[in-house]
Amino acid sequence: MEQLIKSYNPATGDLEGTVNSTAIKDIPNIVKLAHKAQKLWKKLSVDERIVYLQKATQNALPHAEELSILLSKEMGKDIRRSSAEVNGVINGSVYIANEVKTAIKARKTGSGTIHYMPLGVVGIISPWNYPLAMFNNLMIPALIAGNAVILKPSEETPLIADKYISLLNKILPEHLVQVIHGRKEVGQALVESDIQMIAFTGSQTAGKDIMKRAASGIKRLVMELGGNDPMIVLPDANVPMAAQYAVAASLENSGQMCTSAERIYVHESIKDTFEKQVTQIAKDYPIGSWDNPYTRVFPIINEKQRQKIISHIKDAMDKGAKVLLGGIEQPKPFIKPTVLTNVTADALMEKEETFGPVVSISGYRSIEEAIEKANDSNYGLGASVFGQNRVEEVASQLEAGMVGINKMAGASPWVGAKQSGFGFHGSIDGHRQFAQVKVIN
Ligand code: NAD
């Protein structure tokens, strides 16, 4: 197995830095150290744990700018988005911790008292697209509930995870939060190790493998997996508003977002107008690297992913889609905003997650047809519906964990349906996942 994980700047191709891949043989000892730290941590009150966290995030705060630049250089997103993520993580952590405190407070029921006990050691395996926020949302409830954490960040973004956790670790007890690095083999070894829970955010393929490997230990699981979100535009929709949202929801984070609008179904009576407006708006999304203040679409994380997006565009075109903007001629390392219409049901982008800055449109004639198309997927993360008279009815029929009405999907809890996973980010229900329920009567 390779020793070094190299992290490249997606804009320049320059090597940003390296980390050592964790040797599989070292994982049992790392887990042992985590258990040792957890035994002491669980003895603290929830308030004492929150004070630790508060001090730890205060220690990171003066480094927010440095962290934002590192996040941009490593992941590619523009500095505005990186600083929103970094500041959101640093400033939001204590807020989340206080929510957790409420969620795990012991409560009386008719037959006894419910206590929320720590589970032990929680393994968090995270993706690269929001390289701090995705693990932090799971790490805070895990810690406040009294668990130790072993984090395996994505091999695409190891540096930012290392840097942020090292700042927290100046304050947190030793070995309470440990970072391990590597590709999927390291993640697999963590899943199979003596830990009690895996909180995973990533692809469906990895999620299925993790479920299998976690079975032998009946490990608790949170699975936040991929999406292929539909957006339905009803005939009585406010077209300018729907067009704005369609572009924003397809191009945000360069389309590298689990709740991107990946399939847009528009009623035939307004389709031409909608397409013209979408194309006009998408033209105003300049591509550029992280330090260009006008950038709205930044480089794709790596060339493999960029080629996948191009292959989805080509496949849709080969199957009859019409290109309204962009297409398959794409300047490396970017994908220019691309708008396709008349995308057919058999196109790859209808079936799979494209994860790129592509607005994919097709028409429908009846609302029942639109609902059927939207639900014809094994994914079920988010969905949205734009319109007036029948929006509530359509929303209630969409098979998704989160449905936005006249807005993008996404609230608290952050939750998927079908093969987009199970378990939550955020909310009372979400926080309680990190605790063992114990009833005393
Ligand atoms: P990925 O599944 O390839 O990798 C995610 C993490 O899992 C990485 O750290 C990777 O090393 C590790 N990993 C991969 N295979 C593994 C295995 N078999 N066992 C253990 N660990 C394994 O995903 P990615 O490319 O990093 O991220 C993009 C995916 O994440 C997309 O599908 C996106 O939709 C999804 N995502 C979902 C949410 C959500 O909230 N539902 C949020 C962000 C991203």
Side-chain angles (χ1 to χ4, degrees), residues 125-128 152 155 200-203 209 225-226 258 353 414:
I125 303 180
S126 59
W128 48 263
K152 198 207 84 63
E155 56 273 37
F200 174 69
T201 310
S203 62
D209 183 50
L225 309 180
C258 53
E353 199 178 22
W414 189 267

Side-chain angles (χ1 to χ4, degrees), residues 77 85 127-135 252-253 256-257:
K77 68 176 76 176
E85 182 168 349
W128 48 263
N129 60 340
Y130 292 90
L132 285 185
M134 286 304 109
F135 74 71
E252 179 54 32
N253 216 39
Q256 302 169 121
M257 186 171 71

Side-chain angles (χ1 to χ4, degrees), residues 139-257:
M139 182 176 77
I140 301 303
L143 290 177
I144 300 304
N147 304 290
V149 163
I150 299 175
L151 166 66
K152 198 207 84 63
S154 168
E155 56 273 37
E156 297 290 344
T157 50
L159 303 178
I160 183 66
D162 245 13
K163 175 79 192 161
Y164 183 62
I165 298 296
S166 72
L167 292 167
L168 300 187
N169 275 347
K170 295 243 158 55
I171 306 292
L172 294 177
E174 199 182 17
H175 301 134
L176 182 68
V177 179
Q178 298 177 84
V179 182
I180 61 172
H181 288 295
R183 301 189 186 278
K184 80 172 186 187
E185 295 74 18
V186 173
Q188 288 168 331
L190 176 64
V191 171
E192 290 175 346
S193 71
D194 176 27
I195 62 175
Q196 283 60 55
M197 176 173 185
I198 298 117
F200 174 69
T201 310
S203 62
Q204 216 182 61
T205 312
K208 289 180 183 177
D209 183 50
I210 289 172
M211 282 183 76
K212 267 194 236 154
R213 289 172 195 269
S216 64
I218 317 281
K219 288 171 188 162
R220 307 301 187 264
L221 294 173
V222 169
M223 291 274 133
E224 291 281 4
L225 309 180
N228 195 14
D229 290 9
M231 167 176 172
I232 295 179
V233 188
L234 299 176
D236 59 358
N238 175 332
V239 175
M241 180 172 84
Q244 283 283 357
Y245 269 95
V247 175
S250 302
L251 305 188
E252 179 54 32
N253 216 39
S254 297
Q256 302 169 121
M257 186 171 71

